[in-house]
Amino acid sequence: MTSYLRTSPFDPAREIATFTENCGDAGGIATFIGRMRSEGGAATALTLEAYGPATEKAIATEIALASERWQLTACHILHRTGTMTPGDPIVLVCTAATHRRSAFLACDYLMDYLKTRAIFWKKETGPEGARWIEPREADYTDSERWDTP
Amino acid sequence: MVTILFFGRLAEQMNCHSFQTALPAQVRTTEELAHWLDARTPGSEILAASTKAMINHELIYEAAILKDGDEVGFLPPVSGG
């Protein structure tokens, strides 16, 4: 079974190269890399916790939904857990389709899913201490765009 | 015997990530389990008040019957990735 979670740093460029070699006869490939921000020095570390099997299963379900909706030829997600520092990649989404629009839309949809409904809990640490982070209102608004087909 | 897991801020509030326990006879459902666990933390209504639960990695939407060997996860609102 494919694993979407990584407990240690990954190299997005290497992952994208492997994905590109294995995405079939796709005419369009979209990729998105999310990295940890330093928030101007206010954030020095980010710790992400997942519920391993449940998080993996839910991501697999969303990949299947996106693959069906946009007729993807391939799709891949990698998501970090554990503690990261500014600049570290947190997430990588790769989508491949016959034409570009489907690849863009599926990549955008999957990121909105990951930002609002995926089973993660994250805690940001900085000079002021640590705090649990929740999705921003804009994240929910972005995610709601997909409710209307 | 069931395995109980807490995540995110809930693990901090319950001061525990996971443990195994035998359930007393009066604890038969996830709802009863939440109340039972809350009662072990004086002054707390954390689980019964505001969390979702999963049994064996499946989200449940109302009180569900527990059986021996179940893994019950209590989930605070997710942060997203």
mmCIF file of all heavy atoms in Angstrom, chain B residues 2 7 9 13-14 20-21 23 26 30 33 35-36 38 43 47 50 54-56 60 69-71 74-77:
data_model
loop_
_atom_site.group_PDB
_atom_site.id
_atom_site.type_symbol
_atom_site.label_atom_id
_atom_site.label_comp_id
_atom_site.label_asym_id
_atom_site.label_seq_id
_atom_site.Cartn_x
_atom_site.Cartn_y
_atom_site.Cartn_z
ATOM 1 N N VAL B 2 -9.481 -2.513 25.403
ATOM 2 C CA VAL B 2 -9.500 -1.615 24.246
ATOM 3 C C VAL B 2 -8.281 -0.703 24.310
ATOM 4 O O VAL B 2 -7.712 -0.489 25.383
ATOM 5 C CB VAL B 2 -10.784 -0.751 24.173
ATOM 6 C CG1 VAL B 2 -12.022 -1.604 24.016
ATOM 7 C CG2 VAL B 2 -10.897 0.151 25.395
ATOM 8 N N PHE B 7 -5.227 12.748 20.437
ATOM 9 C CA PHE B 7 -4.369 13.459 19.480
ATOM 10 C C PHE B 7 -4.363 14.960 19.743
ATOM 11 O O PHE B 7 -5.281 15.501 20.364
ATOM 12 C CB PHE B 7 -4.859 13.197 18.050
ATOM 13 C CG PHE B 7 -4.741 11.760 17.652
ATOM 14 C CD1 PHE B 7 -5.804 10.896 17.825
ATOM 15 C CD2 PHE B 7 -3.551 11.258 17.137
ATOM 16 C CE1 PHE B 7 -5.687 9.552 17.489
ATOM 17 C CE2 PHE B 7 -3.434 9.925 16.797
ATOM 18 C CZ PHE B 7 -4.502 9.074 16.975
ATOM 19 N N ARG B 9 -4.131 18.707 20.743
ATOM 20 C CA ARG B 9 -4.249 19.380 22.043
ATOM 21 C C ARG B 9 -4.947 18.474 23.062
ATOM 22 O O ARG B 9 -4.789 18.634 24.272
ATOM 23 C CB ARG B 9 -4.983 20.703 21.897
ATOM 24 C CG ARG B 9 -6.443 20.598 21.583
ATOM 25 C CD ARG B 9 -7.099 21.967 21.564
ATOM 26 N NE ARG B 9 -6.796 22.706 20.345
ATOM 27 C CZ ARG B 9 -6.601 24.005 20.294
ATOM 28 N NH1 ARG B 9 -6.622 24.727 21.380
ATOM 29 N NH2 ARG B 9 -6.363 24.602 19.141
ATOM 30 N N GLN B 13 -4.297 17.843 27.010
ATOM 31 C CA GLN B 13 -5.325 18.031 28.037
ATOM 32 C C GLN B 13 -5.531 16.767 28.871
ATOM 33 O O GLN B 13 -5.760 16.841 30.074
ATOM 34 C CB GLN B 13 -6.646 18.447 27.378
ATOM 35 C CG GLN B 13 -6.614 19.865 26.816
ATOM 36 C CD GLN B 13 -7.817 20.156 25.937
ATOM 37 O OE1 GLN B 13 -8.241 19.343 25.118
ATOM 38 N NE2 GLN B 13 -8.386 21.342 26.096
ATOM 39 N N MET B 14 -5.438 15.607 28.213
ATOM 40 C CA MET B 14 -5.637 14.343 28.932
ATOM 41 C C MET B 14 -4.324 13.831 29.521
ATOM 42 O O MET B 14 -4.293 12.821 30.212
ATOM 43 C CB MET B 14 -6.228 13.286 27.988
ATOM 44 C CG MET B 14 -7.556 13.671 27.355
ATOM 45 S SD MET B 14 -8.856 14.073 28.534
ATOM 46 C CE MET B 14 -9.301 12.439 29.144
ATOM 47 N N GLN B 20 -3.989 1.238 27.076
ATOM 48 C CA GLN B 20 -4.925 0.119 26.947
ATOM 49 C C GLN B 20 -5.627 -0.068 28.276
ATOM 50 O O GLN B 20 -5.019 0.100 29.344
ATOM 51 C CB GLN B 20 -4.185 -1.165 26.571
ATOM 52 C CG GLN B 20 -3.675 -1.150 25.134
ATOM 53 C CD GLN B 20 -3.188 -2.517 24.697
ATOM 54 O OE1 GLN B 20 -2.506 -3.188 25.459
ATOM 55 N NE2 GLN B 20 -3.546 -2.923 23.501
ATOM 56 N N THR B 21 -6.878 -0.438 28.204
ATOM 57 C CA THR B 21 -7.621 -0.642 29.440
ATOM 58 C C THR B 21 -8.762 -1.637 29.232
ATOM 59 O O THR B 21 -9.268 -1.772 28.123
ATOM 60 C CB THR B 21 -8.195 0.708 29.950
ATOM 61 O OG1 THR B 21 -8.809 0.509 31.219
ATOM 62 C CG2 THR B 21 -9.203 1.289 28.986
ATOM 63 N N LEU B 23 -12.593 -2.357 30.013
ATOM 64 C CA LEU B 23 -13.712 -1.464 30.290
ATOM 65 C C LEU B 23 -14.613 -2.042 31.370
ATOM 66 O O LEU B 23 -14.898 -3.248 31.373
ATOM 67 C CB LEU B 23 -14.533 -1.246 29.014
ATOM 68 C CG LEU B 23 -13.793 -0.581 27.859
ATOM 69 C CD1 LEU B 23 -14.720 -0.455 26.656
ATOM 70 C CD2 LEU B 23 -13.268 0.788 28.260
ATOM 71 N N GLN B 26 -20.316 -1.108 32.807
ATOM 72 C CA GLN B 26 -21.276 -0.052 32.449
ATOM 73 C C GLN B 26 -20.831 0.782 31.249
ATOM 74 O O GLN B 26 -21.585 1.614 30.758
ATOM 75 C CB GLN B 26 -21.553 0.860 33.654
ATOM 76 C CG GLN B 26 -20.459 1.848 33.986
ATOM 77 C CD GLN B 26 -19.406 1.283 34.936
ATOM 78 O OE1 GLN B 26 -19.286 0.066 35.072
ATOM 79 N NE2 GLN B 26 -18.650 2.151 35.584
ATOM 80 N N THR B 30 -19.148 4.350 22.791
ATOM 81 C CA THR B 30 -18.141 5.422 22.744
ATOM 82 C C THR B 30 -18.561 6.600 23.614
ATOM 83 O O THR B 30 -17.717 7.258 24.230
ATOM 84 C CB THR B 30 -17.953 5.904 21.297
ATOM 85 O OG1 THR B 30 -19.240 6.099 20.702
ATOM 86 C CG2 THR B 30 -17.158 4.903 20.496
ATOM 87 N N LEU B 33 -17.870 5.705 27.069
ATOM 88 C CA LEU B 33 -16.421 5.721 27.257
ATOM 89 C C LEU B 33 -15.914 7.160 27.456
ATOM 90 O O LEU B 33 -15.074 7.422 28.335
ATOM 91 C CB LEU B 33 -15.727 5.087 26.043
ATOM 92 C CG LEU B 33 -14.200 5.116 26.052
ATOM 93 C CD1 LEU B 33 -13.630 4.353 27.242
ATOM 94 C CD2 LEU B 33 -13.641 4.541 24.738
ATOM 95 N N HIS B 35 -17.550 9.744 28.655
ATOM 96 C CA HIS B 35 -17.943 10.202 30.000
ATOM 97 C C HIS B 35 -17.080 9.535 31.073
ATOM 98 O O HIS B 35 -16.665 10.168 32.041
ATOM 99 C CB HIS B 35 -19.426 9.908 30.249
ATOM 100 C CG HIS B 35 -20.349 10.848 29.530
ATOM 101 N ND1 HIS B 35 -20.460 12.185 29.865
ATOM 102 C CD2 HIS B 35 -21.180 10.659 28.484
ATOM 103 C CE1 HIS B 35 -21.336 12.771 29.055
ATOM 104 N NE2 HIS B 35 -21.783 11.865 28.207
ATOM 105 N N TRP B 36 -16.800 8.255 30.872
ATOM 106 C CA TRP B 36 -15.994 7.506 31.851
ATOM 107 C C TRP B 36 -14.577 8.066 31.928
ATOM 108 O O TRP B 36 -14.024 8.267 33.009
ATOM 109 C CB TRP B 36 -15.975 6.027 31.455
ATOM 110 C CG TRP B 36 -15.232 5.143 32.397
ATOM 111 C CD1 TRP B 36 -15.552 4.871 33.695
ATOM 112 C CD2 TRP B 36 -14.043 4.394 32.111
ATOM 113 N NE1 TRP B 36 -14.637 4.002 34.239
ATOM 114 C CE2 TRP B 36 -13.701 3.693 33.286
ATOM 115 C CE3 TRP B 36 -13.250 4.244 30.976
ATOM 116 C CZ2 TRP B 36 -12.581 2.854 33.362
ATOM 117 C CZ3 TRP B 36 -12.141 3.410 31.046
ATOM 118 C CH2 TRP B 36 -11.815 2.724 32.226
ATOM 119 N N ASP B 38 -13.658 11.114 30.984
ATOM 120 C CA ASP B 38 -13.734 12.469 31.542
ATOM 121 C C ASP B 38 -13.796 12.420 33.072
ATOM 122 O O ASP B 38 -13.185 13.246 33.753
ATOM 123 C CB ASP B 38 -14.974 13.201 31.011
ATOM 124 C CG ASP B 38 -14.741 13.831 29.646
ATOM 125 O OD1 ASP B 38 -13.570 14.027 29.275
ATOM 126 O OD2 ASP B 38 -15.724 14.125 28.961
ATOM 127 N N GLY B 43 -13.230 17.519 37.015
ATOM 128 C CA GLY B 43 -13.538 18.827 36.451
ATOM 129 C C GLY B 43 -13.527 18.864 34.941
ATOM 130 O O GLY B 43 -13.742 19.900 34.333
ATOM 131 N N LEU B 47 -13.892 15.205 26.559
ATOM 132 C CA LEU B 47 -14.211 14.246 25.504
ATOM 133 C C LEU B 47 -15.692 14.262 25.154
ATOM 134 O O LEU B 47 -16.063 14.256 23.982
ATOM 135 C CB LEU B 47 -13.800 12.844 25.937
ATOM 136 C CG LEU B 47 -12.314 12.675 26.249
ATOM 137 C CD1 LEU B 47 -12.036 11.267 26.742
ATOM 138 C CD2 LEU B 47 -11.479 12.968 25.022
ATOM 139 N N SER B 50 -16.740 17.840 23.083
ATOM 140 C CA SER B 50 -16.350 18.488 21.823
ATOM 141 C C SER B 50 -15.515 17.662 20.851
ATOM 142 O O SER B 50 -14.934 18.228 19.939
ATOM 143 C CB SER B 50 -15.548 19.744 22.164
ATOM 144 O OG SER B 50 -14.376 19.380 22.855
ATOM 145 N N MET B 54 -13.127 7.852 16.508
ATOM 146 C CA MET B 54 -12.986 6.820 15.481
ATOM 147 C C MET B 54 -12.887 5.474 16.180
ATOM 148 O O MET B 54 -12.251 5.366 17.235
ATOM 149 C CB MET B 54 -11.726 7.029 14.657
ATOM 150 C CG MET B 54 -11.831 8.114 13.623
ATOM 151 S SD MET B 54 -10.338 8.146 12.576
ATOM 152 C CE MET B 54 -10.935 9.096 11.183
ATOM 153 N N ILE B 55 -13.499 4.474 15.585
ATOM 154 C CA ILE B 55 -13.284 3.105 16.045
ATOM 155 C C ILE B 55 -12.575 2.369 14.920
ATOM 156 O O ILE B 55 -13.075 2.327 13.784
ATOM 157 C CB ILE B 55 -14.603 2.391 16.382
ATOM 158 C CG1 ILE B 55 -15.318 3.096 17.540
ATOM 159 C CG2 ILE B 55 -14.352 0.927 16.744
ATOM 160 C CD1 ILE B 55 -16.635 2.454 17.923
ATOM 161 N N ASN B 56 -11.427 1.835 15.226
ATOM 162 C CA ASN B 56 -10.637 1.103 14.233
ATOM 163 C C ASN B 56 -10.496 1.906 12.936
ATOM 164 O O ASN B 56 -10.680 1.395 11.831
ATOM 165 C CB ASN B 56 -11.246 -0.276 13.970
ATOM 166 C CG ASN B 56 -11.352 -1.088 15.254
ATOM 167 O OD1 ASN B 56 -10.499 -0.971 16.141
ATOM 168 N ND2 ASN B 56 -12.401 -1.880 15.377
ATOM 169 N N ILE B 60 -17.011 7.779 13.547
ATOM 170 C CA ILE B 60 -18.379 7.440 13.930
ATOM 171 C C ILE B 60 -19.142 8.729 14.201
ATOM 172 O O ILE B 60 -18.565 9.731 14.630
ATOM 173 C CB ILE B 60 -18.412 6.510 15.156
ATOM 174 C CG1 ILE B 60 -17.682 7.155 16.331
ATOM 175 C CG2 ILE B 60 -17.812 5.159 14.819
ATOM 176 C CD1 ILE B 60 -17.903 6.435 17.608
ATOM 177 N N GLY B 69 -10.872 -5.494 21.908
ATOM 178 C CA GLY B 69 -9.870 -5.367 20.855
ATOM 179 C C GLY B 69 -9.986 -4.100 20.038
ATOM 180 O O GLY B 69 -9.120 -3.820 19.199
ATOM 181 N N ASP B 70 -11.050 -3.312 20.242
ATOM 182 C CA ASP B 70 -11.215 -2.078 19.468
ATOM 183 C C ASP B 70 -10.120 -1.059 19.787
ATOM 184 O O ASP B 70 -9.613 -0.994 20.909
ATOM 185 C CB ASP B 70 -12.570 -1.422 19.779
ATOM 186 C CG ASP B 70 -13.704 -2.024 18.966
ATOM 187 O OD1 ASP B 70 -13.424 -2.758 18.000
ATOM 188 O OD2 ASP B 70 -14.876 -1.769 19.316
ATOM 189 N N GLU B 71 -9.805 -0.269 18.751
ATOM 190 C CA GLU B 71 -8.946 0.903 18.944
ATOM 191 C C GLU B 71 -9.842 2.124 18.814
ATOM 192 O O GLU B 71 -10.482 2.305 17.781
ATOM 193 C CB GLU B 71 -7.845 0.948 17.879
ATOM 194 C CG GLU B 71 -6.955 2.194 17.993
ATOM 195 C CD GLU B 71 -5.840 2.202 16.957
ATOM 196 O OE1 GLU B 71 -4.997 1.280 16.978
ATOM 197 O OE2 GLU B 71 -5.833 3.121 16.108
ATOM 198 N N PHE B 74 -9.770 9.460 19.929
ATOM 199 C CA PHE B 74 -10.521 10.690 20.184
ATOM 200 C C PHE B 74 -9.793 11.831 19.491
ATOM 201 O O PHE B 74 -8.593 12.052 19.719
ATOM 202 C CB PHE B 74 -10.646 10.957 21.683
ATOM 203 C CG PHE B 74 -11.622 10.043 22.360
ATOM 204 C CD1 PHE B 74 -11.182 8.936 23.081
ATOM 205 C CD2 PHE B 74 -12.987 10.280 22.267
ATOM 206 C CE1 PHE B 74 -12.087 8.084 23.694
ATOM 207 C CE2 PHE B 74 -13.902 9.432 22.885
ATOM 208 C CZ PHE B 74 -13.443 8.333 23.596
ATOM 209 N N LEU B 75 -10.523 12.553 18.626
ATOM 210 C CA LEU B 75 -9.897 13.540 17.749
ATOM 211 C C LEU B 75 -10.402 14.952 18.038
ATOM 212 O O LEU B 75 -11.600 15.224 17.888
ATOM 213 C CB LEU B 75 -10.203 13.216 16.283
ATOM 214 C CG LEU B 75 -9.471 12.060 15.604
ATOM 215 C CD1 LEU B 75 -9.741 10.725 16.261
ATOM 216 C CD2 LEU B 75 -9.856 12.005 14.136
ATOM 217 N N PRO B 76 -9.526 15.866 18.379
ATOM 218 C CA PRO B 76 -9.940 17.270 18.438
ATOM 219 C C PRO B 76 -10.099 17.782 17.008
ATOM 220 O O PRO B 76 -9.720 17.089 16.063
ATOM 221 C CB PRO B 76 -8.764 17.950 19.147
ATOM 222 C CG PRO B 76 -7.588 17.108 18.800
ATOM 223 C CD PRO B 76 -8.101 15.703 18.674
ATOM 224 N N PRO B 77 -10.654 18.976 16.809
ATOM 225 C CA PRO B 77 -10.775 19.510 15.447
ATOM 226 C C PRO B 77 -9.422 19.484 14.739
ATOM 227 O O PRO B 77 -8.398 19.832 15.333
ATOM 228 C CB PRO B 77 -11.251 20.952 15.675
ATOM 229 C CG PRO B 77 -11.963 20.893 16.995
ATOM 230 C CD PRO B 77 -11.206 19.897 17.813
#
